[in-house]
Amino acid sequence: MVPNVSDPSSIGTVAQDGTAHLAGIAQWWRDAAIYQVYLRSFADGDGDGIGDLRGVRDRLDYLADLGIDAIWLTPWYPSPMADAGYDIADYRDIDPVFGSLADADALIAEAHQRGIRIIIDVVPNHCSDRHPWFQAALAAAPRSPERSRFWFRPGRGPGGDLPPNNWVSHFGGPAWTRVTEPDGRPGQWYLHLFAPQQPDFNWANAQVREEFLSVLRFWLDRGVDGVRIDSAAILVKDPFLADVEHELPPQNVHAPAQQSPDTEPLHPYTDRDGIHEIYREWRRVADSYPGGRVLIGEIWLPDPRRFALYLRPNEMHSAFNFEFLRCAWDAVALRRTIDDTLAAHAPVGAPASWVLSNHDVTRHVTRYGRADTTFDFAERHHGDPLDLELGTRRARAAALLTLALPGSVYVYQGEELGLWEVEDLPDAVRQDPMWHRTGGADPGRDGCRVPLPWSGTSAPFGFSPAGAAARPWLPQPATWSDYTVEAQSEDPTSMLELYRAALRLRRDQPALRSEREPLRWIAAEPGVLAFRRGDEFACVINLSDAPVELPENDSVLLSSDPLHGELLAPDTAVWLRLRGR
Ligand code: GLC
């Protein structure tokens, strides 16, 4: 079968030779639907209560049937798991809890056979304190080449008892830890913008740069289709390690004060201009491979113009649109965010991306069920009054909004099941360093990482194989018996069937997959968002508190909840085929 490069709808059809088929469509990422697999919590193949690669391989048909184009897998590398795998001890292997390199190779091949691409997570800002380079640095002397791959500095104050500067860890507490020197004396301090077990690399060091180019090649050689770049905007540090002048809220991950694209950024580690040359080097490596290998950045920046600089044609292909995720369920705010996003991406020629949830944020069913529907790390509204039914209705409407916007879209595992944030986990089972390092002041991220319910009526709901000795690593709510894949399949009113139908239609509607069909707003009443893609497709979302009339149309393609005649109820969205013009 010869892939039809100009026809994006051919993405995902299964060719006899999956790999050759995939290689033909280099621009696949511009409008892909990408499913985030949070590996520990997706499916447990070996019965130890932790998700693994066997589990993903066993569920590839589920993902193919859902209608996604690619999977992004959270880190699979050997790790002491101080931050659930974002503390990597070896960038070229797989942690035994997840499987082996052979499993990774098999997963890549089996996914490709189904027309699904594989994106892996690469963490360049920091490694694990168990990484051989950090171990060597601890054993070496101050100012040694081993220490210069990290940020070791003497302390301030008498005896060097104070950290070298005032930086604060994103997980709470100081961003510096003091080491004991090999001779037993209290010694230098090292920088960790996250947990102490995650020492920051020094990206001014040429060996660090070379090492990551080699890591990229290692995985691209094995056939991965892209990398998601963790904490991508904070690699480059002020060489003088100046104090942060305007302290950020500790959990407001990576967000500096608003900066103009024309001025030198003021922040000592976020979004410094020198970072762009790193990604230009990475892009040259990615472009040296066939088949469209992509770089996707985790970039939390409030200024869309600074954000877009990372998406220039010789840098990353795409980045997560967190301003959309953070936005309130409000027509004016959403329209402004959508317009700002599209306006910022257009000059650099990059497609927009649309994200509602991930493994770091409160699940959106829960966010949308509260009085304050925004997301902010500094204020998670944990425990505030919650209307799950309202949150679910809005999440259904949000799915149709998101899947109709131009660009790529992310689905975080479990969002297609309508799962909510599990906020009543017992303290004893919580594992997130955010929870521990803030002394419980921050609820942390365990609540959005609870293992998926697949089947059956009691825990582990098919997450682990029948008869598994271990229980899931986080307990699942008993009420998830109604939310399993099995319970929702073929129920036309379920969230799962809504996602399946929407993803299928998104593939089949040329207007939704074509960049030639930009978003065009249609005049609508206050509180209503309505837009066209092409002449025949429209999406209308009612965010007001009264029913509204549908625009003139030929037929209803899909609605997030049942329609009442020609009326669209509050917090409902609809996809329409318009009258031919
Ligand atoms: C990113 C990841 C998050 C992790 C942090 C440190 O923000 O998404 O899960 O804790 O980086 O690696």
Side-chain angles (χ1 to χ4, degrees), residues 114-159:
R114 290 166 175 80
I116 295 176
R117 290 179 166 82
I118 297 286
I119 296 161
I120 60 166
D121 219 314
V122 169
V123 184
N125 181 65
H126 48 267
C127 58
S128 159
D129 59 352
R130 296 296 146 138
H131 189 285
W133 280 12
F134 192 70
Q135 289 293 311
L138 289 179
R143 288 180 297 280
S144 58
E146 288 84 356
R147 287 206 174 173
S148 73
R149 295 168 180 149
F150 299 92
W151 291 99
F152 279 85
R153 287 291 183 279
R156 289 190 293 193

Side-chain angles (χ1 to χ4, degrees), residues 83 86 123 126 171 194 198 228 230-231 253-254 298 300 359-360 445 449:
D83 182 21
Y86 282 95
V123 184
H126 48 267
F171 291 161
F194 294 91
Q198 294 168 294
R228 176 260 188 194
D230 186 74
S231 304
V253 176
H254 327 165
E298 187 208 13
W300 292 84
H359 66 294
D360 291 328
R445 302 161 296 177
R449 299 174 175 182

